[in-house]
Amino acid sequence: MPASGDFFEQVYAVVRQIPEGKVTSYGAIARFLGSARSSRIVGYAMKASLAMNEVPAHRVVNRNGLLTGRHHFSPPEGMQRALEREGIAVSDHQVQDFESVFWNPEVLLA
DNA sequence: CCGATGACCATTT
DNA sequence: AAAATGGCCATCG
């Protein structure tokens, strides 16, 4: 495990707490961690998380509800299928009713 | 060691 | 309103 990934581990911790049937965005996580402008890093962390089968990266999409990272999955369409399996409607690589299935990391503060 | 790049987002031109 | 650019942290060459 990359001990040099301080930010990464924080991201993983949050993503792992995402309840089933819910999704979140990179920016939401970045903002929750205190680095609102480091949303890029969150996405980069997710790519690395694919190597570790302990993070549900398929529950993380961009702020548009678009499955931007589907191409990094194996198979790419597997991400969409995984979301639908959890009860999330996905169409054309886009989460339907995104606001309804959106999960805010702020709930971890409780 | 330095430069470039990446599952993004928000602001400015 | 659309397009371009800056910013962030970490990894790779």
Side-chain angles (χ1 to χ4, degrees):
Chain A
M1 21 173 297
S4 48
D6 218 26
F7 212 83
F8 281 44
E9 292 189 19
Q10 290 284 56
V11 174
Y12 300 148
V14 175
V15 176
R16 265 189 296 229
Q17 302 313 306
I18 301 177
E20 199 172 289
K22 295 282 180 180
V23 293
T24 190
S25 60
Y26 307 98
I29 299 173
R31 217 157 43 177
F32 174 70
L33 296 179
S35 306
R37 301 276 131 61
S38 52
S39 43
R40 295 186 77 183
I41 322 305
V42 177
Y44 195 49
M46 306 250 58
K47 188 184 66 170
S49 79
L50 291 177
M52 334 172 159
N53 314 26
E54 29 182 272
V55 182
H58 62 270
R59 291 181 190 159
V60 184
V61 296
N62 66 350
R63 93 124 192 122
N64 221 356
L66 190 66
L67 280 61
T68 46
R70 80 196 153 89
H71 197 12
H72 291 269
F73 274 79
S74 172
E77 55 254 22
M79 182 177 182
Q80 178 172 340
R81 265 188 261 163
L83 291 172
E84 292 180 328
R85 193 186 311 155
E86 296 183 358
I88 301 176
V90 181
S91 182
D92 193 22
H93 310 141
Q94 213 170 221
V95 177
Q96 302 303 304
D97 208 352
F98 180 56
E99 297 184 14
S100 293
V101 295
F102 182 77
W103 176 80
N104 196 321
E106 288 179 13
V107 300
L108 293 178
L109 298 176

